[in-house]
């Protein structure tokens, strides 16, 4: 890469005539810009296989559904398909009253004429005129002087006024783009835009759109913002001009260009869903809109069902949304890392407990519900990197098991160990199945088939209450009818088991229980932890419609797990 010396920022991006700017003093965007989708033109013309009429129609209807009021539907003079699509929309009255279609035209007489023919009969149309203005294009492609390039724009601007008068049934708005603006000297960009404004402004009764494209993104985003602020300050009749941006994404900072450009005075953004478009694409409107949303600004576009947006986009364009694409990507809400999972679970819990409606959850800048994503499948994902919090979160939120804090660590290692061995991510169902077969209702070789308890209350103040149990047990295939007393239910069961010839040598460590609402078959879950004489702990989980029998099942499960290690039942 030593030939970097053949590049220089100065060649492509001409120096700015001024050095003082104000846009950086603002720290957020206050309102949504006017959005214009160019999916059906700039996006479409960059596809390996451009959309057919049905696909364009489906995409158009979707753009309308999510709230676009301005949609560039094509370059009708450039191809028959584009012309026919324009006619199809108009002839079949498919454009809602509050939606304005936009059509692109070069500044050439026959192309302008054909463009006006294409939109005949439409109610509201933006005709978008462009010619290329950069130093490199003037020097190498057109080989024309500055005056000649301005002349091309002026001629097109005048012709548009002529055709406007020929189609009085349509309400026209005019837009001009100095194509390759980012490589244009700012004084020249100013002069060519003002020349067009001076032709249109005295005649047009609505605002003129001046669209400044980063046709090729060449600079750091703040340099683009400087260019926009400069233009915003020097355009004639600024109050009657809508300043529009059209950033491409060559350096991967199209979103930054758009955002800083809005701070610098722009009113309107042209872009595409998920950033489809020439080369690295146009600016991604999904990201821009949801970025605004996460700063508490109404984006005036509806991405509350982001999966639908991805599905339509991928099917109709044949492009794909990468797994890490902001907001739409499959993995963008996923937390695999244990510490992230833990912080997210705690953040969610904190939110529930405090009832605070503001979104402040660690690691998640957006509540996935707001774009129609779910917490379970999308956020906490379990692989070998995951932690106890993530496993507990899934078991609680998908299956209703509130894992005791002291059990989480052992369970976390157990589950992530399975993922590590198999080198795969585990789905919530697989986590539940593994948890169930290891911990819940383990009835072999020890099983207690029934148990009846009696509460023995003492008449003396100082005496502790006690419990007696009558139960039947099957241990290693051998049947027992047993009785026992204890200072609680599980103590009574333990003492009854100790009547057998097996060596039930353990202590209770902890016990907890809760009702399960998610799983309709069981109504209670109990968790028992016992320790053998070396202090090693064994958890067991029991479920049953009866909370008392759930606790017996939990103890039996813990005993069977202990036996797996100690083999005290041979
Ligand atoms: O990128 C660009 O400059 C364009 C113009 C036609 C606006 O698409
Ligand atoms: Zn473009």
């Amino acid at each position: 890469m030593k030939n970097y010396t053949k590049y220089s920022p100065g060649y492509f991006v001409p120096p700015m005539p001024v050095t003082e700017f104000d846009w950086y003093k603002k720290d957020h965007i206050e309102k949504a810009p006017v959005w214009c989708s160019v999916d059906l033109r700039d996006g479409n013309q960059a596809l390996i296989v451009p959309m057919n009429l049905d696909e364009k129609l489906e995409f158009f209807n979707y753009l309308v559904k999510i709230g676009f009021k301005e949609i560039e539907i094509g370059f009708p003079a450039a191809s028959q398909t584009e012309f026919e699509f324009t006619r199809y929309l108009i002839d079949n009255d498919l454009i809602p009253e509050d939606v304005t279609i936009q059509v692109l035209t070069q500044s050439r007489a026959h192309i302008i004429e054909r463009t006006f023919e294409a939109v005949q009969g439409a109610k509201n149309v933006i005709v978008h005129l462009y010619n290329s203005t950069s130093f490199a294009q003037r020097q190498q492609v057109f080989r024309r002087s500055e005056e000649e390039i301005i002349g091309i724009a002026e001629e097109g601007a005048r012709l548009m006024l002529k055709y406007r008068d020929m189609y009085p049934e349509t309400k026209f708005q005019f837009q001009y783009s100095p194509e390759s603006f980012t490589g244009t000297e700012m004084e020249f960009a100013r002069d060519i835009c003002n020349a067009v404004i001076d032709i249109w402004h005295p005649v047009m009764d609505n605002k003129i759109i001046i669209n400044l494209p980063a046709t090729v993104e060449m600079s750091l985003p703040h340099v683009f913002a400087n260019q926009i602020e400069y233009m915003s300050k020097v355009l004639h009749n600024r109050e009657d001009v809508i300043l529009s941006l059209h950033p491409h994404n060559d350096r991967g900072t199209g979103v930054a260009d758009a955002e800083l450009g809005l701070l610098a005075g722009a009113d309107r953004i042209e872009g595409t869903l998920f950033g489809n478009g020439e080369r690295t694409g146009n600016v991604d409107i999904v990201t821009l809109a949801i970025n605004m949303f996460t700063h508490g600004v109404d984006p005036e576009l509806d991405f509350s069902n982001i999966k639908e947006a991805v599905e339509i986009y991928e099917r109709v364009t044949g492009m794909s949304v990468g797994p890490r694409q902001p907001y739409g990507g499959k993995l963008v809400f996923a937390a695999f890392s244990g510490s992230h999972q833990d912080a997210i679970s705690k953040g969610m819990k904190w939110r529930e407990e405090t009832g605070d409606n503001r979104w402040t959850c660690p690691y998640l800048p957006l509540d996935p519900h707001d774009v129609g994503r779910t917490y379970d499948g999308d956020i906490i994902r379990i692989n070998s990197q995951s932690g106890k919090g993530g496993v507990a979160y899934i078991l609680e939120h998908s299956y209703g098991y509130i894992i005791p804090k002291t059990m989480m660590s052992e369970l976390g290692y157990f589950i992530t160990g399975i993922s590590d061995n198999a080198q795969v991510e585990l789905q919530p169902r697989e986590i539940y199945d593994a948890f169930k077969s290891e911990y819940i209702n383990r009835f072999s070789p020890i099983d207690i088939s029934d148990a009846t308890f009696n509460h023995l209350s003492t008449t003396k103040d100082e005496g502790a209450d006690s419990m007696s149990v009558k139960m039947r047990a099957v241990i290693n295939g051998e049947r027992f009818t047993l009785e026992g007393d204890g200072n609680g239910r599980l103590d009574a069961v333990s003492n009854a088991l100790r009547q057998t010839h097996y060596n039930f040598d353990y202590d209770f460590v902890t016990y907890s229980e809760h009702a399960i609402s998610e799983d309709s078959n069981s109504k209670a879950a109990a968790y028992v932890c016992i320790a053998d004489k070396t202090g090693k702990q064994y958890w067991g989980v029991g479920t049953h419609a009866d909370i008392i029998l759930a606790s017996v099942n939990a103890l039996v499960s813990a005993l069977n797990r202990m036996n797996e290690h100690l083999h005290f039942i041979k």
Side-chain angles (χ1 to χ4, degrees):
M1 299 295 282
K2 290 293 178 216
N3 48 356
Y4 62 85
T5 50
K6 79 179 187 219
Y7 302 93
S8 113
Y11 175 73
F12 280 108
V13 185
M16 287 296 298
V18 292
T19 52
E20 294 295 312
F21 300 99
D22 292 323
W23 61 265
Y24 68 88
K25 295 175 189 157
K26 300 181 197 155
D27 63 3
H28 69 281
I29 294 161
E30 279 163 12
K31 72 187 247 315
V34 175
W35 299 110
C36 175
S37 154
V38 294
D39 291 87
L40 301 174
R41 196 277 299 171
D42 215 345
N44 185 47
Q45 78 190 29
L47 294 176
I48 300 166
V49 183
M51 293 176 235
N52 63 30
L53 192 134
D54 288 341
E55 288 165 339
K56 270 194 138 190
L57 190 59
E58 183 179 356
F59 210 142
F60 176 82
N61 287 332
Y62 180 66
L63 293 168
V64 169
K65 177 176 143 186
I66 60 179
F68 280 96
K69 301 294 175 211
E70 296 183 4
I71 302 173
E72 190 167 84
I73 56 165
F75 190 162
S79 85
Q80 194 53 26
T81 319
E82 303 269 289
F83 190 93
E84 276 167 17
F85 178 63
T86 310
R87 289 303 333 150
Y88 189 87
L89 287 181
I90 298 166
D91 293 339
N92 293 288
D93 207 9
L94 298 175
I95 307 161
E97 290 282 331
D98 61 347
V99 171
T100 301
I101 54 165
Q102 177 169 311
V103 282
L104 182 71
T105 174
Q106 286 173 346
S107 192
R108 291 161 71 187
H110 68 285
I111 293 184
I112 294 175
E113 182 181 6
R114 180 94 172 132
T115 305
F116 276 85
E117 266 169 42
V119 296
Q120 183 174 6
K123 291 193 187 73
N124 301 301
V125 178
I126 298 170
V127 183
H128 177 185
L129 173 78
Y130 78 94
N131 68 325
S132 201
T133 57
S134 73
F135 177 72
Q137 295 256 13
R138 295 190 326 261
Q139 180 194 50
Q140 298 162 36
V141 183
F142 298 98
R143 300 185 182 215
R144 301 269 186 104
S145 67
E146 291 188 5
E147 292 67 37
E148 286 171 315
I149 298 286
I150 292 181
I152 295 172
E154 287 175 329
E155 201 183 322
R158 283 197 197 93
L159 270 176
M160 281 169 57
L161 288 178
K162 176 183 134 191
Y163 286 111
R164 165 185 176 264
D165 293 341
M166 286 168 60
Y167 299 101
E169 71 281 10
T170 300
K171 185 163 169 31
F172 286 107
Q173 189 168 22
F174 285 171
Q175 169 166 332
Y176 173 69
S177 292
E179 202 246 24
S180 60
F181 162 76
T182 43
T184 305
E185 305 87 327
M186 284 303 107
E187 297 91 330
F188 183 60
R190 172 198 65 199
D191 291 347
I192 198 163
C193 290
N194 280 335
V196 173
I197 292 173
D198 291 347
I199 292 170
W200 285 343
H201 185 257
V203 186
M204 300 297 287
D205 47 15
N206 53 10
K207 290 194 179 189
I208 294 157
I209 303 170
I210 294 294
N211 183 51
L212 303 177
T215 304
V216 178
E217 191 188 43
M218 301 169 168
S219 67
L220 297 174
H222 76 287
V223 174
F224 182 68
N226 291 348
Q227 294 175 326
I228 301 309
E229 184 172 318
Y230 172 80
M231 291 296 286
S232 178
K233 286 177 174 164
V234 297
L235 288 179
H236 292 172
N237 308 101
R238 178 67 183 88
E239 65 292 349
D240 293 328
V241 169
I242 294 171
L243 187 59
S244 175
L245 308 180
H246 177 109
H248 280 262
N249 193 38
D250 298 80
R251 295 171 57 88
T253 52
V255 166
D257 288 343
E259 291 184 331
L260 301 190
L262 287 173
L263 296 184
D267 313 299
R268 180 179 186 268
I269 298 283
E270 292 191 350
T272 57
L273 301 191
F274 304 112
N276 182 37
E278 288 287 6
R279 305 179 307 281
T280 52
N282 289 67
V283 70
D284 171 13
I285 287 191
V286 178
T287 301
L288 276 177
I290 303 180
N291 278 357
M292 279 175 210
F293 179 78
T294 65
H295 278 191
V297 175
D298 178 358
E300 294 172 25
L301 287 176
D302 182 357
F303 291 115
S304 59
N305 187 348
I306 197 82
K307 285 188 175 161
E308 182 186 38
V310 173
E311 190 280 316
I312 291 177
Y313 169 78
E314 291 192 332
R315 181 165 45 76
V316 168
T317 64
M319 302 296 290
S320 55
V321 172
R324 305 244 179 243
Q325 170 104 8
Y327 306 117
K330 280 202 176 63
L331 293 183
V332 298
F333 296 107
F336 288 101
S337 131
S339 61
H340 289 209
Q341 293 177 345
D342 196 45
I344 291 171
S345 319
K346 286 178 177 152
M348 299 282 199
K349 200 165 227 112
W350 184 87
R351 199 159 178 267
E352 262 170 45
E353 284 164 9
T354 59
D356 189 343
N357 192 38
R358 283 165 311 154
W359 185 256
T360 54
C361 187
Y363 295 112
L364 289 177
L366 171 70
D367 180 350
H369 277 168
D370 288 335
V371 289
R373 307 268 303 247
T374 55
Y375 288 158
D376 300 354
D378 280 334
I379 304 182
I380 306 276
R381 307 270 298 253
I382 303 297
N383 65 11
S384 56
Q385 307 297 308
S386 309
K388 53 186 180 158
V391 171
Y393 182 92
I394 289 191
L395 289 174
E396 179 171 345
H397 287 84
S398 301
Y399 297 98
Y401 289 87
I402 303 169
I403 306 299
K405 270 202 170 55
T406 44
M407 185 185 182
M408 281 184 186
S409 180
E410 168 185 324
L411 181 59
Y413 280 119
F414 169 67
I415 298 287
T416 54
I418 297 174
S419 163
D420 205 8
N421 274 340
Q423 297 279 295
V424 289
E425 181 194 354
L426 297 179
Q427 298 306 316
R429 184 76 222 179
E430 294 168 316
I431 293 165
Y432 171 68
D433 288 346
F435 168 62
K436 186 170 172 198
S437 69
E438 177 62 29
Y439 290 98
I440 305 180
N441 294 350
R442 298 273 307 264
F443 294 149
S444 174
I446 305 158
D447 189 10
I448 294 176
S449 51
D450 52 56
T452 313
F453 291 93
N454 238 323
H455 192 201
L456 309 169
S457 303
T458 66
T459 52
K460 307 287 172 296
D461 281 351
E462 66 275 14
D465 279 4
S466 65
M467 200 60 99
S468 74
V469 68
K470 283 189 176 163
M471 62 188 216
R472 281 185 293 179
V474 180
I475 303 175
N476 215 10
E478 218 180 313
R479 293 177 185 283
F480 297 90
T481 301
L482 301 166
E483 291 188 17
D485 294 341
N487 56 17
R489 260 179 263 123
L490 296 182
D491 196 36
V493 171
S494 297
N495 289 334
L497 289 170
R498 287 179 184 122
Q499 310 295 312
T500 66
H501 53 91
Y502 292 106
N503 183 21
F504 284 100
D505 191 3
Y506 59 90
D507 294 319
F508 281 102
V509 179
T510 183
Y511 168 80
S512 66
E513 63 185 36
H514 64 78
I516 301 182
S517 49
E518 310 271 324
D519 184 343
S520 53
N521 296 325
S522 338
K523 293 188 177 61
Y527 306 79
V528 166
C529 183
I530 56 174
D532 65 22
K533 57 180 183 302
T534 70
K536 183 170 165 43
Q537 299 190 347
Y538 306 89
W539 281 94
V541 181
T543 57
H544 198 282
D546 178 338
I547 186 66
I548 293 174
L549 297 178
S551 68
V552 173
N553 288 345
L555 173 62
V556 170
S557 300
L559 287 169
N560 280 313
R561 292 192 68 241
M562 182 168 96
N563 184 54
E564 247 168 24
H565 284 79
L566 300 183
H567 306 292
F568 61 93
I569 294 166
K570 304 250 173 22

